[in-house]
Amino acid sequence: MAKKNQSKSLWDAKIVRRALLDSVMKLDPRTMMKNPVMFVVEVGSVVTTILLVKDALGHQAHLGFNLQITLWLWFTVLFANFAEAMAEGRGKAQADSLRRAKSETMAHRILASGKIEQVASTQLRSGDIVTVTAGEFIPADGEVIEGVASVDESAITGESAPVIRESGGDRSAVTGGTRVLSDCIKVKVTSNPGETFLDRMIALVEGAERQKTPNEIALNILLAGLTIIFLLAVVTLQPFAVYSQSPQTVFVLVSLLVCLIPTTIGGLLSAIGIAGMDRLVQHNVLAMSGRAVEAAGDVNTLLLDKTGTITLGNRQASRFVPAPGVPEQELADAAQLSSLADETPEGRSIVVLAKEKYNLRGRELSTHQTEFIPFTAQTRMSGVNLNGFQIRKGSVDAIERYVTENGHPFPPEVRAVVEEVSRAGSTPLVVAERSRGALGVIELKDIVKGGIRERFEHLRAMGIRTVMITGDNPLTAAAIAREAGVDDFLAQATPKDKMDLIRKEQGQGKLVAMTGDGTNDAPALAQADVGVAMNTGTQAAKEAGNMVDLDSNPTKLIEVVEIGKQLLMTRGALTTFSIANDVAKYFAILPAMFAATFPVLNALNIMHLKTPQSAVLSAVIFNALIIIALIPLALRGVRYRPVGAAILLRQNLLIYGVGGVIVPFLGIKAIDMLITSVGLA
Amino acid sequence: MTGNGWLQIAILFLLVLAVTKPLGLFMARVFNREKTFLDRILRPLERLIYRLTGVDEGREMRWTEYAVSMLLFSVVSMVVLYVIQRVQGYLPWNPQKLAGVPPALAFNTAASFSTNTNWQAYVPETTMSYFTQMAGLAYHNFFSAAAGIALAIAFIRGIARRQAETLGNFWVDMTRASLWVLLPFCLVGSLVLVSQGVVQNFRAYDTVQLVEPQQVPHLNADGTAAVGPDGKPVMDTIAQQTIAQGPVASQEIIKEFGTNGGGFFNANSAHPFENPTPFTNLIEIFCIFAISAGLVYTLGHMTGSLAHGWAVWAAMAFLFLAGVTVTYWSEARGNPLLAGVNQQASATHPGGNMEGKEVRFGVANSALFATATTDTSCGAVNAMHDSFTPLGGLVPLVNIMLGEVIFGGVGSGMYGMLVFVVLSVFIAGLMVGRTPEYLGKKIESYDVKMAMLSLLIFPLIILTLAAISVVSSSFGTSSIANAGPHGLSEILYAFTSAAGNNGSAFAGINANTNWYNIALGFNTLIGRFLVVIPVLAIAGNLARKKYVAPSLGTFPVTTPLFSALLVSVILIVGALTFFPVLSLGPILEHLLMHAGTTF
């Protein structure tokens, strides 16, 4: 569903319609109170409205002007509400489609007696065991405890290709609301009704559980503080004006106040936060809290698993290097024979390489004359016994032992090749035949993903260090690290090593992000500041992390970081813009207030606004319209470019700081020209 | 403006630049309790003080205890000063037999001196005995300055320390600030001043015969000019002049070095016994800036980021130079209404607006002094700010309104600036896409809350009390000597000066009334202590935080861009608050003056 929404335009008619209605509903002062800046505007609007009614009954002068001011003050509040409603609207649309997946289904619960009873899915409790067969919906979140099945998870991930779910291992978690396409599985339910993954997802995209993030709270305090300062400045201005024999109307004072308090950021702040979460959902990542998204922006260190993230995941045979006196063809032949029964990707790649390079066809070997020796952790080699030949392939240590046990010397040339291959970041496999000794080396090459180097360069420019985690030996790891361009690596890593590394980094004051899917990743995922669990992973991993990637793409972490940064940047940029705007508003409103008594103050009217009324009105209109104008920026976010903080700061200060000073001068002047030409003021 | 004038400003600026590093480094060593060349003499004295007072110099304080100690010390000192003033008639060293000070004035003075404000609603030579001046006022000159330095050091420690609960020991910081920093310098400085003609004695006032007797209007008992039966004013002939004396030099040096500003005489640094020559004038301005400039280096040194210290220094220097340029330009331009009067600078004439300025200082040195004394919280004056051109007078007013962070008062300038730094880092820090960090410490909601609180207090007390005054004819506007925008400036300046703990007077206002004495007295207390408490809270909170390692993505606080950002935030946040009222005061007056109206 998330993918479908990506094509939805920012101004989708349905969302806009709902948002328009919501923006009126949000005028409820109980709701407004949560946003101190806009609440002040609302109070101001109410005050001017009451005065307007009083004036209208008493036939006061300037009724038209006061009416327009009052209307635009209300518009200011409504525009801010609209921005928030727009941001929420997209989430709501997603929640609707998720709810459809949540329709109640019947479940087949297996009782302790072994009997199967039919119950509604809502009656399932954590610990129940159900059986699901092809064509049925999985009734609740759980773990496969028996069987293997292909499951259509498109309701959650938007990905239409089915995925395999099987008992044991790291792909055992299933989600309620997804559909089994083939086979039959037994599922142990792990969630109670109302707490399922789907429920949480609906709540998240709807923003129902949205709590203000730490930075948002801090920013809110800043804005509230500024509001109080400007409130003071405006309230005390009246006595000073009285002293100067030019008292002001409440309409003008409220206008000045509303223009000065940071309504632009105040009005857009929550929209920015909601839109940030929404952008993550667009990328098919579910953040369990806004805090996690913010933390993503702060990350200093990324821990990335080599396999699947940095490299393509499977090593591929790339070269045969024969021992002295052994023809290359013979080595290739032996290597292929030994790998025929090897169903691992590495094994298959050896068969393919031999076929492509030496035109050796894979042979059908009848089983009675052939004995395949499977790989075991003890022997650390595999192979085949065929027509009296005994071919083995395996790690250099294992094969050396095998060769010397059978009375052959282990050629130093082979050892040299092994080291050379290791240094290059590849994995050497040595092939031997019992009677002939070592035949040569197969180089298994790790294929680094295309473009990954550039991404790491981007990360480095952002100030983020990447650390590759791998089970390889240090020599191999170093070579791959070099090729991929990571900053550091952790070789021969155990789950404990990973945990220690995270703790060490955090001890140095760094924030760490990592991805993981296995149950043994869970502690590290929980320890990391940002832990992204793969949706294909185990339930334990998903619960330990604070984000779930529905696409199960480990490189997604990089996008998550960028979204976190974008979120913070957008807030900062609009705050700066909002405060910088005040300069122009002063130059519009102050001369308008006092030029009637002191015509010399027109010297401050550097925009040459037509009349005092048009000046005040233009400033108020600009102040309201800028909120609408910036909604797209608030929803899309400020563009993030990985260029380092110093350059980013310079650029953004130029655009939003200097721009924030200049834009309102132009905008207010333009509005002034427009409204005076149509005779509104 | 003349080349000579600019040269004098440049010399002062270079002297301040030159003293920053050695003094800053020295202070860092003093407060880190490292070895200094003065230890041999001062260390035994320090130990003796701790033994007598029972201070455990090894014990560290949390921010709350630090704040309570500071408050306690100030309150007790303040009460002592109040009592001294009230009973000075019974105390020694009172050759002029001055009576006890009335309660409202005594409160105002006690509040003002214990907060490093030194607002003087009285005429010192006819109000305060030598004992009160030395034991009461000069005491506060030292210890309110020492307290300011201690607070700044506590804040710096808050930034520098990692996961620490404490900020140092207030009593130790106070003692070391007094013994190592203030005393030795004042000892040397006062001797230099004496060599230039500043007096230092306990004599009764001298009476001398005037070379040329003066005619002055005779005043009736009610203060009105007496009119004779012929309808002409009755004139008195004055043939004698009283010349006040006293222990001036010892108080003069700390007045500037501790940015106190309370003059021994009413004329303050315009008086020839306080500030006799252009050379003493240079020394005094230099002293006003010395500690505050040095503390910026101390910040850099103690936090391990000298570049950041210099970036802050650069922002301060920029604001100082901008201010002095505007004031000097405005004063040198003279008064456009004095048509036909030659206001050009020449060999025999200083040029420009010389009203209220000493001939021996001229325009440049008066502009420089006025800028320096309001950049910091000093408040000493060598010219009357009331007589400056409207724009020339606007600069001192704005300087104080910005929070006196342009080098600033000793200590108070540093922590005031750090509040702006915290805000700048927070506002702009988000723009680099990270939670804002300041020297490895995350700036979070608590820090922002406290920073806003300390920032809020300033406009609150200035604007509210000034607003009440301008619309109250019975007690507010009745005190001002001028109508219109100039009168507004006079009231505004008084409340700003008190809240900013500056103490300089715009003059033109009779502040020795119950309303002004009490309102301004409370302004000084709130302007110091209510600002300091949130500042210490930030320091305590920062100290507790974990250190965040810097990276390429970290917000840079060491670049010229940061200095520019800091200047913008100070100007925008500071000035936007006061721009409306300023536009009705000095700005309006300036425009009206050029249109031909004065007040």
Side-chain angles (χ1 to χ4, degrees):
Chain A
M1 53 94 239
K3 289 243 164 84
K4 274 178 270 162
N5 272 354
Q6 254 165 1
S7 57
K8 224 170 235 176
S9 102
L10 210 53
W11 300 103
D12 182 86
K14 217 175 113 198
I15 294 178
V16 170
R17 230 173 300 133
R18 174 137 72 165
L20 282 173
L21 188 68
D22 280 351
S23 43
V24 178
M25 304 293 289
K26 283 171 186 283
L27 286 176
D28 184 339
R30 282 164 303 182
T31 320
M32 292 298 297
M33 210 108 94
K34 288 179 197 142
N35 184 338
V37 181
M38 295 319 293
F39 183 66
V40 168
V41 183
E42 189 177 34
V43 170
S45 313
V46 171
V47 169
T48 55
T49 308
I50 294 169
L51 285 176
L52 189 72
V53 172
K54 225 179 96 196
D55 284 2
L57 297 175
H59 303 291
Q60 293 282 322
H62 300 305
L63 211 55
F65 168 74
N66 291 349
L67 173 70
Q68 289 185 67
I69 290 286
T70 309
L71 282 178
W72 280 105
L73 292 180
W74 279 115
F75 279 138
T76 311
V77 187
L78 285 171
F79 289 168
N81 288 350
F82 179 69
E84 193 182 79
M86 279 295 290
E88 286 170 350
R90 295 157 69 79
K92 280 188 178 151
Q94 268 157 356
D96 286 348
S97 69
L98 279 175
R99 275 208 187 84
R100 279 194 289 278
K102 218 191 123 202
S103 54
E104 197 168 296
T105 50
M106 292 307 283
H108 304 280
R109 180 158 62 185
I110 304 173
L111 299 172
S113 60
K115 274 206 284 192
I116 293 177
E117 64 165 6
Q118 283 233 343
V119 292
S121 60
T122 47
Q123 286 174 0
L124 291 174
R125 291 289 176 275
S126 182
D128 285 352
I129 292 168
V130 293
T131 166
V132 191
T133 46
E136 289 178 349
F137 281 96
I138 296 172
D141 295 356
E143 220 163 307
V144 181
I145 52 169
E146 202 181 302
V148 52
S150 63
V151 180
D152 171 13
E153 294 195 337
S154 60
I156 307 278
T157 61
E159 181 60 60
S160 53
V163 291
I164 300 296
R165 291 284 176 260
E166 59 193 340
S167 63
D170 288 345
R171 299 197 298 180
S172 60
V174 288
T175 311
T178 57
R179 201 157 60 95
V180 174
L181 292 178
S182 69
D183 305 288
C184 172
I185 45 175
K186 267 190 198 167
V187 175
K188 186 175 176 190
V189 177
T190 53
S191 66
N192 291 321
E195 302 163 7
T196 64
F197 189 68
L198 212 54
D199 289 320
R200 267 196 295 168
M201 214 169 139
I202 291 167
L204 275 169
V205 294
E206 245 186 350
E209 273 182 15
R210 206 182 93 83
Q211 284 178 327
K212 286 196 176 125
T213 57
N215 276 315
E216 206 179 341
I217 293 170
L219 193 51
N220 248 319
I221 291 169
L222 177 86
L223 299 181
L226 287 175
T227 305
I228 297 172
I229 288 179
F230 286 124
L231 196 61
L232 265 172
V234 172
V235 168
T236 56
L237 184 56
Q238 182 71 338
F240 296 126
V242 168
Y243 170 89
S244 310
Q245 277 133 32
S246 46
Q248 299 297 311
T249 67
V250 173
F251 292 92
V252 172
L253 287 173
V254 172
S255 302
L256 177 64
L257 175 65
V258 169
C259 285
L260 293 183
I261 61 176
T263 48
T264 313
I265 178 67
L268 294 172
L269 188 56
S270 61
I272 295 169
I274 298 166
M277 294 286 272
D278 186 55
R279 261 200 306 284
L280 267 186
V281 176
Q282 307 288 320
H283 280 84
N284 260 356
V285 176
L286 282 187
M288 295 307 154
S289 70
R291 189 183 281 263
V293 186
E294 255 178 22
D298 290 346
V299 158
N300 304 78
T301 309
L302 279 190
L303 303 189
L304 297 168
D305 277 323
K306 184 196 80 176
T307 310
T309 310
I310 295 169
T311 61
L312 279 176
N314 307 321
R315 286 176 288 208
Q316 289 181 350
S318 62
R319 192 156 68 110
F320 296 116
V321 187
V326 179
E328 203 169 322
Q329 184 92 13
E330 189 185 340
L331 169 65
D333 189 41
Q336 192 185 46
L337 282 173
S338 70
S339 304
L340 281 175
D342 186 350
E343 276 301 305
T344 63
E346 286 90 351
R348 277 197 296 257
S349 77
I350 293 171
V351 176
V352 170
L353 181 72
K355 186 175 87 186
E356 282 175 354
K357 234 175 155 182
Y358 304 100
N359 210 18
L360 296 170
R361 313 282 325 164
R363 284 143 285 195
E364 275 302 319
L365 302 167
S366 49
T367 41
H368 64 269
Q369 46 180 290
T370 334
E371 186 197 351
F372 289 108
I373 313 295
F375 178 88
T376 66
Q378 283 76 40
T379 61
R380 305 197 48 185
M381 55 187 186
S382 62
V384 62
N385 295 344
L386 168 77
N387 303 333
F389 291 112
Q390 294 189 13
I391 305 171
R392 294 289 182 272
K393 73 168 197 284
S395 74
V396 57
D397 302 337
I399 296 295
E400 186 177 359
R401 203 173 337 110
Y402 179 75
V403 169
T404 44
E405 272 171 10
N406 287 302
H408 298 282
F410 193 76
E413 291 86 350
V414 171
R415 179 166 296 283
V417 171
V418 163
E419 271 168 25
E420 180 224 307
V421 167
S422 290
R423 258 197 305 278
S426 302
T427 310
L429 281 182
V430 184
V431 182
E433 200 283 315
R434 188 189 155 108
S435 57
R436 298 207 42 192
L439 296 174
V441 179
I442 310 170
E443 177 174 357
L444 291 178
K445 208 169 161 47
D446 247 324
I447 311 293
V448 171
K449 279 186 176 173
I452 198 86
R453 205 186 164 85
E454 288 70 36
R455 304 207 74 169
F456 291 148
E457 267 160 28
H458 276 188
L459 286 168
R460 205 164 302 122
M462 287 183 198
I464 295 172
R465 214 166 66 94
T466 43
V467 181
M468 181 180 83
I469 311 283
T470 170
D472 294 342
N473 66 58
L475 216 57
T476 312
I480 294 174
R482 213 169 25 246
E483 192 183 342
V486 295
D487 297 295
D488 204 352
F489 61 88
L490 182 68
Q492 287 167 344
T494 63
K496 187 181 168 298
D497 292 340
K498 223 180 195 175
M499 193 74 177
D500 289 345
L501 180 66
I502 294 175
R503 288 223 176 95
K504 197 183 111 213
E505 292 279 322
Q506 287 174 334
Q508 293 167 356
K510 291 177 179 158
L511 258 65
V512 183
M514 67 166 286
T515 57
D517 54 4
T519 300
N520 59 10
D521 286 331
L525 278 172
Q527 177 72 28
D529 301 283
V530 177
V532 182
M534 302 292 104
N535 192 42
T536 52
T538 59
Q539 198 65 34
K542 278 156 99 173
E543 264 161 29
N546 44 20
M547 291 189 199
V548 176
D549 179 18
L550 300 174
D551 294 341
S552 305
N553 169 10
T555 35
K556 191 75 75 63
L557 203 48
I558 296 170
E559 269 111 36
V560 171
V561 168
E562 286 188 359
I563 289 170
K565 287 196 176 293
Q566 243 191 340
L567 177 68
L568 296 176
M569 277 171 56
T570 311
R571 282 192 198 133
L574 290 183
T575 307
T576 309
F577 185 82
S578 195
I579 296 171
N581 269 207
D582 281 2
V583 178
K585 291 171 188 165
Y586 266 136
F587 281 100
I589 298 182
L590 283 181
M593 288 172 106
F594 301 115
T597 320
F598 305 104
V600 287
L601 275 176
N602 263 323
L604 294 181
N605 183 7
I606 52 177
M607 285 175 271
H608 299 293
L609 304 177
K610 206 65 173 279
T611 65
Q613 279 84 9
S614 75
V616 175
L617 199 53
S618 305
V620 173
I621 294 175
F622 174 84
N623 192 54
L625 289 182
I626 197 74
I627 296 179
I628 289 285
L630 290 174
I631 289 179
L633 183 70
L635 296 190
R636 287 206 195 99
V638 170
R639 204 162 58 95
Y640 177 75
R641 295 202 306 129
V643 285
I647 298 171
L648 261 186
L649 181 66
R650 189 164 60 226
Q651 286 174 347
N652 286 331
L653 271 182
L654 203 65
I655 299 172
Y656 300 101
V658 179
V661 173
I662 296 169
V663 165
F665 277 105
L666 305 177
I668 292 173
K669 177 68 186 169
I671 294 171
D672 181 73
M673 284 161 69
L674 187 73
I675 59 174
T676 49
S677 69
V678 299
L680 281 172
Chain B
M1 293 189 281
T2 62
N4 180 288
W6 280 115
L7 182 66
Q8 299 192 54
I9 293 170
I11 289 173
L12 181 269
F13 183 72
L14 291 176
L15 277 177
V16 173
L17 177 62
V19 81
T20 299
K21 183 176 170 180
L23 185 56
L25 202 57
F26 175 71
M27 286 192 284
R29 296 186 70 85
V30 167
F31 294 105
N32 282 337
R33 310 183 60 163
E34 292 162 19
K35 268 188 92 64
T36 70
F37 67 100
L38 290 171
D39 283 8
R40 263 225 305 217
I41 313 158
L42 295 176
R43 190 63 189 128
L45 187 58
E46 188 193 15
R47 276 210 209 92
L48 181 69
I49 292 173
Y50 296 148
R51 189 150 338 123
L52 291 177
T53 53
V55 168
D56 174 4
E57 59 177 317
R59 205 177 77 83
E60 292 252 322
M61 297 175 173
R62 289 161 175 270
W63 79 264
T64 40
E65 191 185 351
Y66 206 96
V68 168
S69 306
M70 186 270 302
L71 287 176
L72 205 65
F73 175 78
S74 303
V75 167
V76 171
S77 301
M78 185 179 150
V79 170
V80 169
L81 175 56
Y82 179 83
V83 173
I84 290 178
Q85 290 179 77
R86 300 283 294 132
V87 302
Q88 68 174 4
Y90 309 100
L91 297 172
W93 290 341
N94 190 359
Q96 296 307 119
K97 307 275 178 281
L98 297 168
V101 181
L105 179 59
F107 161 74
N108 180 285
T109 307
S112 148
F113 275 75
S114 57
T115 55
N116 197 266
T117 308
N118 298 27
W119 170 266
Q120 294 168 293
Y122 57 91
V123 176
E125 45 271 60
T126 59
T127 316
M128 300 294 175
S129 73
Y130 292 162
F131 183 86
T132 310
Q133 293 259 29
M134 292 185 83
L137 305 183
Y139 162 88
H140 279 279
N141 282 356
F142 271 95
F143 290 108
S144 66
I149 297 174
L151 290 168
I153 294 293
F155 199 117
I156 295 173
R157 288 198 190 111
I159 302 165
R161 292 185 173 180
R162 298 167 189 184
Q163 288 164 289
E165 287 294 326
T166 58
L167 297 174
N169 184 313
F170 174 72
W171 307 113
V172 173
D173 290 340
M174 277 280 291
T175 311
R176 292 186 80 88
S178 310
L179 289 184
W180 267 262
V181 183
L182 297 177
L183 259 184
F185 191 94
C186 287
L187 219 56
V188 176
S190 57
L191 290 176
V192 175
L193 289 183
V194 167
S195 80
Q196 294 295 305
V198 178
V199 300
Q200 178 81 7
N201 59 44
F202 290 106
R203 294 221 319 263
Y205 296 170
D206 286 348
T207 306
V208 294
Q209 295 297 321
L210 288 182
V211 178
E212 191 183 336
Q214 302 280 314
Q215 296 276 319
V216 297
H218 181 80
L219 296 183
N220 292 322
D222 60 356
T224 56
V227 181
D230 54 354
K232 286 184 181 162
V234 181
M235 301 300 275
D236 287 339
T237 302
I238 305 271
Q240 285 187 331
Q241 184 190 356
T242 306
I243 297 178
Q245 301 287 330
V248 180
S250 56
Q251 196 160 330
E252 185 64 23
I253 188 71
I254 186 65
K255 180 185 100 184
E256 272 85 22
F257 198 54
T259 63
N260 295 286
F264 197 91
F265 302 118
N266 194 38
N268 210 305
S269 282
H271 195 291
F273 279 176
E274 285 202 24
N275 189 8
T277 65
F279 178 59
T280 54
N281 195 57
L282 177 69
I283 294 176
E284 292 188 7
I285 305 175
F286 167 76
C287 287
I288 290 174
F289 279 133
I291 293 183
S292 305
L295 275 174
V296 186
Y297 189 89
T298 312
L299 165 78
H301 184 83
M302 286 175 72
T303 57
S305 176
L306 284 178
H308 171 61
W310 284 114
V312 173
W313 197 95
M316 291 171 161
F318 173 83
L319 287 169
F320 159 67
L321 290 174
V324 82
T325 304
V326 171
T327 312
Y328 185 30
W329 166 78
S330 182
E331 293 306 301
R333 219 159 61 122
N335 188 333
L337 298 185
L338 293 175
V341 177
N342 183 8
Q343 297 181 70
Q344 285 300 308
S346 66
T348 54
H349 190 283
N353 171 29
M354 277 301 288
E355 184 195 311
K357 293 187 179 65
E358 289 294 304
V359 178
R360 67 183 184 283
F361 302 135
V363 171
N365 264 325
S366 300
L368 184 56
F369 204 111
T371 313
T373 201
T374 50
D375 280 341
T376 65
S377 74
C378 185
V381 291
N382 76 349
M384 292 305 116
H385 295 177
D386 192 33
S387 300
F388 276 34
T389 58
L391 289 188
L394 173 72
V395 170
L397 186 55
V398 169
N399 278 342
I400 308 175
M401 285 173 167
L402 295 182
E404 291 162 335
V405 292
I406 308 167
F407 297 106
V410 287
S412 61
M414 181 82 267
Y415 59 69
M417 186 53 133
L418 287 172
V419 169
F420 275 116
V421 168
V422 164
L423 277 185
S424 305
V425 168
F426 182 76
I427 294 172
L430 285 171
M431 277 199 291
V432 304
R434 282 176 71 90
T435 297
E437 280 155 34
Y438 173 47
L439 295 176
K441 297 298 179 67
K442 279 194 175 163
I443 303 299
E444 291 161 306
S445 55
Y446 183 82
D447 312 296
V448 175
K449 193 192 295 173
M450 290 299 146
M452 285 314 287
L453 207 58
S454 84
L455 210 64
L456 196 65
I457 289 163
F458 212 53
L460 176 76
I461 54 178
I462 294 175
L463 290 175
T464 317
L465 291 174
I468 293 171
S469 300
V470 294
V471 289
S472 310
S473 54
S474 58
F475 58 84
T477 51
S478 55
S479 272
I480 51 178
N482 304 76
H486 197 76
L488 180 62
S489 298
E490 287 169 352
I491 291 180
L492 190 63
Y493 195 102
F495 284 103
T496 308
S497 173
N501 294 156
N502 186 278
S504 66
F506 203 56
I509 183 170
N510 171 25
N512 193 6
T513 67
N514 280 345
W515 161 251
Y516 283 107
N517 270 334
I518 292 169
L520 292 171
F522 275 111
N523 242 12
T524 61
L525 293 174
I526 295 170
R528 173 109 165 168
F529 299 119
L530 280 197
V531 169
V532 158
I533 291 169
V535 160
L536 275 177
I538 298 174
N541 195 42
L542 288 181
R544 240 175 265 139
K545 289 185 190 198
K546 262 188 10 192
Y547 176 75
V548 184
S551 72
L552 259 183
T554 305
F555 181 81
V557 291
T558 54
T559 57
L561 182 68
F562 173 73
S563 306
L565 171 73
L566 187 56
V567 168
S568 319
V569 169
I570 293 169
L571 287 180
I572 290 188
V573 175
L576 283 185
T577 318
F578 295 106
F579 192 67
V581 64
L582 288 175
S583 68
L584 286 176
I587 295 173
L588 179 57
E589 189 188 353
H590 168 78
L591 295 170
L592 287 174
M593 180 176 84
H594 282 267
T597 319
T598 53
F599 297 91

